[in-house]
Amino acid sequence: MATMTPDTSTLAKPTARERLLAAADELFYDEGIHTVGIDRIIEHAGVAKASLYNTFGSKDELVRAYLTGRHESRQRRITTRLEDYDTPRAKLLGVFDSLRDYVALPTFRGCAFANASAESQPGGVVDEVSTSNRTWTRDLLTDLAREAGVADPDALAQQLILIYDGAITGVRMDHRADIGAAARATAEILVDRALAS
């Protein structure tokens, strides 16, 4: 019996922009922003050098697009996960369920924003996108704490961010994905204590 080969002529090929972003995402995350040069990204993406400069203008703008993509992906991952929960308390802990699952992935290499920030000077592109990412996280946790009826939602959000950041660093440095579960358990203690006071 003859096998049918699918017709791929109607499938859209990735654009130069999409290939450049995929290459930047892989290489920047795995090896670092300053370690990876433009020529490596161009070669990995299989595009001409002009494509990078016509699309992004500079390496800084490619870095911005890479981190913005990471930020948007993280937002989607967390907000999609939170749809599984019914109460603000459960959603607060759901953020840590999402974290636990994320740090257990074999591709996890730490926080893309912390990694990029460690290599960059304050006030640049990395700082700008990283600040947006952190503001989104702080606002999410503060809003959920407020909805849950916590007396000081800002304080709880700050405590939860410290646990979140510590878990990401711990998993990366200690190579122990179970730290994600420990962070979730610690967050539950803090949330319940804040709700009880």
Side-chain angles (χ1 to χ4, degrees):
M1 176 185 274
T3 58
M4 300 286 291
T5 337
D7 178 14
T8 57
S9 62
T10 58
L11 297 176
K13 292 181 181 176
T15 64
R17 182 179 201 287
E18 291 167 337
R19 292 197 314 263
L20 285 163
L21 276 174
D25 187 68
E26 179 184 335
L27 294 173
F28 286 161
Y29 186 63
D30 286 349
E31 300 175 30
I33 289 172
H34 290 296
T35 304
V36 176
I38 291 296
D39 290 337
R40 271 227 29 242
I41 292 169
I42 290 165
E43 180 184 343
H44 199 70
V47 300
K49 188 176 263 193
S51 294
L52 185 136
Y53 290 106
N54 289 339
T55 305
F56 295 102
S58 67
K59 183 177 179 180
D60 271 355
E61 290 308 308
L62 178 61
V63 168
R64 180 191 309 276
Y66 153 67
L67 288 174
T68 298
R70 284 272 166 173
H71 172 60
E72 291 167 353
S73 174
R74 183 173 171 272
Q75 282 181 311
R76 277 191 306 275
R77 183 178 71 249
I78 292 171
T79 55
T80 299
R81 183 62 180 265
L82 296 187
E83 291 171 4
D84 295 340
Y85 303 94
D86 295 330
T87 67
R89 176 193 177 276
K91 288 181 182 196
L92 277 166
L93 298 175
V95 172
F96 287 86
D97 290 336
S98 175
L99 172 69
R100 181 193 58 219
D101 295 347
Y102 178 63
V103 300
L105 294 174
T107 54
F108 179 75
R109 295 186 54 81
C111 173
F113 305 96
N115 295 346
S117 292
E119 297 183 68
S120 303
Q121 296 298 316
V125 168
V126 170
D127 218 17
E128 183 183 322
V129 182
S130 295
T131 297
S132 293
N133 181 64
R134 290 189 69 74
T135 299
W136 180 82
T137 304
R138 188 174 294 106
D139 290 347
L140 173 67
L141 293 171
T142 303
D143 291 345
L144 289 172
R146 185 175 296 113
E147 290 172 27
V150 170
D152 190 347
D154 293 322
L156 178 61
Q158 188 59 45
Q159 292 168 345
L160 293 175
I161 287 170
L162 290 171
I163 294 168
Y164 194 97
D165 290 347
I168 288 174
T169 302
V171 170
R172 177 75 173 120
M173 299 297 292
D174 297 337
H175 308 288
R176 290 187 49 189
D178 63 327
I179 291 172
R184 200 267 189 207
T186 306
E188 186 168 12
I189 291 167
L190 284 176
V191 168
D192 288 344
R193 184 178 299 156
L195 287 169
S197 63

